[in-house]
Amino acid sequence: MACWLASIIVFAYGMDAVGLTISPWLVLAGSLVTTGVCAGRMLGKTTREVGPLVVWAAVVSLVFAWLLRLAWPALLPPGKGPDLTHHLLLIDYIERHWRLAHDPALGAVMGEMAHYTPGAHLLAVLFGAWTRTDGFRVVYPLVSFTVALTAGFVFLITLRIASRRAPLNGVPLALIAVLLMVLPRAYVVDAFAHDSYLAQVVSTLFAVAMWWAILVWDDAPSPAAALLIGVMALGVFLAWPVWIGPPLLAFVAWLRLRRDLPLRARAQHLAIAVVPVAMLALVHAVGRWGWMAIVGTSGAVLHPSFEAIGWAFPLLALAGIAVSLTDRRARITLLLVAAIVAQAVALYVMALTNHAPTPYMTYKMGYLLIYPLAVLGALSFTRVPRSAAWATVAIMGVLVVRPLLAVPKPVPVVSRDFYDAGQWTRANVGSSCVDYLVADAYTAYWLHLAVLGNPRASARTAEVDQHDGRAAIARWIPAEGLPYAIADMTLLPDEIRARVTLLKQFGHAGVIARPGAIPCLPGHP
């Protein structure tokens, strides 16, 4: 499945790179063929035992169902903050043009999103086309599914590492790893359900899948296994390139340690895994070198703390590291941890050099570090009896899952009603003469940029960025200001209702106009 998702991104990006319009059905056909070849080459290199596969499927299904429950029934992104709007802005652009942003002038319209790696956004747009909906409606289920698959890979990785040292405990240890993975909720679920790091979360799937592919290669080195690593590396880079360094560094380091392989074979496998993503990075960087400085800038991000991760997680991770130092099969995971820490240090130095108040990207590395530490934490139970391992699963299941289920559902700042109202407004009224009579500033920001398509670099956007719902409603009581508005009809006072015309209503969202309002569509007299 991860191979298929990565293939979708690569095919779509490749079509755009050679100047073609992205065709959803050609991308689907090409990605399915590639996935069939990938699956055929890897058949027999993973476990064929029915029991573990059933448990794996249950893990993926349960995590997916839990994440869907968080946003049921709307299934829309529940996060806040500007990042959600910016990602939806790029999704909207691709959906309207079926091309990526290439015009330098789009920087003023889209900001950094004109230069962003578009993997997650391409997936949303394409799945929207295949399901006859749109990227806005499918992005949350899609991202949730990538998180569920990530949990599945954590299960498989732990099972593979533990299979020889503690074969009877493989499944319970793998389940413990998944429970440890979701324990620091702020770093896993809140990364997209609260902070809206959509691209980062999708890239995490490919980074963890790449780590699993390295373990597969280590068990049976072959060009096919190296190709699997390379495909996942392409997915990592195109979704969010910050994650590409640690797994690549871990693979290169481990390849150097595999002295039992002929030098020629090691060079061949290295080229298969690394050269495609290196070439892709060069292609994508052309004309975008200036935007790479963003890795050294500051920004609001979760700071590492025991409040965010608790005490049990780091203690179990440290115990797992101690146990794994003598376990050859765990050394790739230890190398991955070391590579993540090394990149975090390098990013910290860059932040200091740029005098950034907050080492933003350094703290971001904690989001990736959670996954290998969860696996290592599970390995700390390697030597316990089988019955004790299953008892640990049961106890942890209660201690971890119950608090997660008790967390109230977040209230999204986006809605289908407002989305439909915004789409109608954009098509029939225009974008530049619209006010937003809504309660949340992030709702106004999303409507203004991602739904109506207004430029980010404008005085009007700066005004919307400081949106005050009560002030916006107050402006509509006298006959002054913008001629149109998208309004939350549940908040609209009768004093305003009596003075305006309701042009269209979608659920609780309405498009209203002052008397004599003239559309501001492009080309309208």
Side-chain angles (χ1 to χ4, degrees):
M1 184 60 73
C3 183
W4 180 48
L5 295 177
S7 300
I8 291 170
I9 295 172
V10 172
F11 265 94
Y13 187 89
M15 290 186 71
D16 178 82
V18 299
L20 298 176
T21 299
I22 298 171
S23 168
W25 301 108
L26 283 179
V27 171
L28 179 61
S31 63
L32 287 175
V33 170
T34 302
T35 304
V37 172
C38 183
R41 292 293 184 99
M42 296 311 299
L43 190 63
K45 298 185 185 298
T46 57
T47 180
R48 291 185 178 182
E49 296 181 38
V50 175
L53 289 178
V54 170
V55 178
W56 171 85
V59 166
V60 173
S61 300
L62 289 172
V63 173
F64 186 43
W66 165 52
L67 295 175
L68 291 183
R69 174 184 172 273
L70 289 178
W72 190 266
L75 296 180
L76 295 177
K80 289 192 175 185
D83 279 9
L84 175 59
T85 292
H86 299 164
H87 287 303
L88 293 176
L89 173 62
L90 181 52
I91 289 172
D92 177 76
Y93 180 87
I94 298 172
E95 208 159 40
R96 289 180 178 274
H97 301 279
W98 290 103
R99 291 294 309 273
L100 301 179
H102 297 290
D103 187 349
L106 288 172
V109 178
M110 303 173 66
E112 77 282 358
M113 300 311 294
H115 310 277
Y116 214 85
T117 46
H121 315 84
L122 286 169
L123 285 176
V125 170
L126 289 165
F127 273 93
W130 295 331
T131 57
R132 299 187 182 277
T133 55
D134 51 55
F136 171 67
R137 288 174 170 83
V138 305
V139 67
Y140 180 81
L142 176 66
V143 175
S144 297
F145 186 59
T146 65
V147 176
L149 280 180
T150 303
F153 275 109
V154 167
F155 178 90
L156 292 175
I157 288 166
T158 311
L159 188 65
R160 183 171 288 270
I161 295 174
S163 61
R164 290 184 184 174
R165 189 165 182 177
L168 295 179
N169 285 352
V171 171
L173 292 184
L175 290 173
I176 291 172
V178 173
L179 290 169
L180 286 175
M181 183 197 94
V182 298
L183 182 59
R185 175 193 167 99
Y187 280 94
V188 178
V189 180
D190 288 351
F192 74 101
H194 181 271
D195 298 321
S196 303
Y197 300 146
L198 305 184
Q200 173 188 307
V201 170
V202 174
S203 184
T204 300
L205 164 64
F206 296 120
V208 174
M210 186 177 172
W211 166 26
W212 169 81
I214 295 170
L215 293 172
V216 171
W217 174 89
D218 183 49
D219 279 346
S222 68
L227 178 61
L228 185 61
I229 296 172
V231 170
M232 298 307 173
L234 293 172
V236 174
F237 183 87
L238 285 174
W240 202 61
V242 177
W243 282 173
I244 192 60
L248 268 185
L249 183 59
F251 177 61
V252 171
W254 189 246
L255 194 67
R256 184 178 178 84
L257 295 173
R258 285 296 303 264
R259 300 297 178 87
D260 56 313
L261 294 177
L263 180 60
R264 182 176 179 179
R266 283 187 284 163
Q268 179 193 33
H269 297 178
L270 178 65
I272 292 172
V274 175
V275 169
V277 72
M279 294 177 62
L280 176 66
L282 288 174
V283 169
H284 189 78
V286 173
R288 298 182 174 96
W289 295 104
W291 287 93
M292 294 184 181
I294 195 173
V295 299
T297 58
S298 185
V301 66
L302 179 67
H303 291 208
S305 67
F306 287 114
E307 182 180 358
I309 62 176
W311 290 91
F313 185 88
L315 289 176
L316 288 173
L318 288 173
I321 291 173
V323 169
S324 301
L325 289 173
T326 58
D327 186 350
R328 181 198 174 280
R329 294 178 66 81
R331 287 175 189 169
I332 292 174
T333 302
L334 293 173
L335 282 174
L336 179 61
V337 170
I340 293 172
V341 172
Q343 180 164 311
V345 172
L347 291 170
Y348 181 72
V349 172
M350 291 180 64
L352 287 180
T353 303
N354 293 337
H355 306 289
T358 301
Y360 178 74
M361 286 297 178
T362 298
Y363 290 159
K364 274 294 190 81
M365 297 309 297
Y367 287 86
L368 184 59
L369 188 60
I370 290 297
Y371 298 91
L373 290 184
V375 171
L376 291 169
L379 295 178
S380 67
F381 294 93
T382 300
R383 297 177 183 175
V384 303
R386 181 177 174 83
S387 58
W390 279 110
T392 303
V393 172
I395 294 170
M396 287 188 62
V398 173
L399 295 178
V400 174
V401 174
R402 286 185 63 183
L404 292 176
L405 294 177
V407 174
K409 294 181 182 179
V411 179
V413 298
V414 301
S415 78
R416 294 185 181 183
D417 290 344
F418 280 124
Y419 179 78
D420 292 338
Q423 292 287 307
W424 187 91
T425 302
R426 186 171 183 173
N428 295 278
V429 170
S431 300
S432 60
C433 56
V434 183
D435 211 341
Y436 312 101
L437 309 187
V438 294
D440 197 295
Y442 288 125
T443 303
Y445 189 72
W446 162 67
L447 284 169
H448 187 71
L449 293 179
V451 184
L452 294 186
N454 289 291
R456 285 177 64 179
S458 69
R460 172 66 177 141
T461 299
E463 292 175 7
V464 175
D465 198 25
Q466 304 298 321
H467 175 81
D468 183 311
R470 288 176 296 181
I473 291 175
R475 287 196 301 269
W476 272 72
I477 294 177
E480 60 183 33
L482 296 173
Y484 297 93
I486 298 173
D488 185 339
M489 301 304 291
T490 65
L491 300 178
L492 204 62
D494 292 337
E495 188 175 1
I496 295 178
R497 289 174 185 264
R499 297 183 179 184
V500 301
T501 300
L502 178 62
L503 301 180
K504 196 77 173 178
Q505 185 163 352
F506 303 85
H508 68 278
V511 183
I512 61 175
R514 297 183 190 274
I518 300 175
C520 54
L521 289 167
H524 194 279

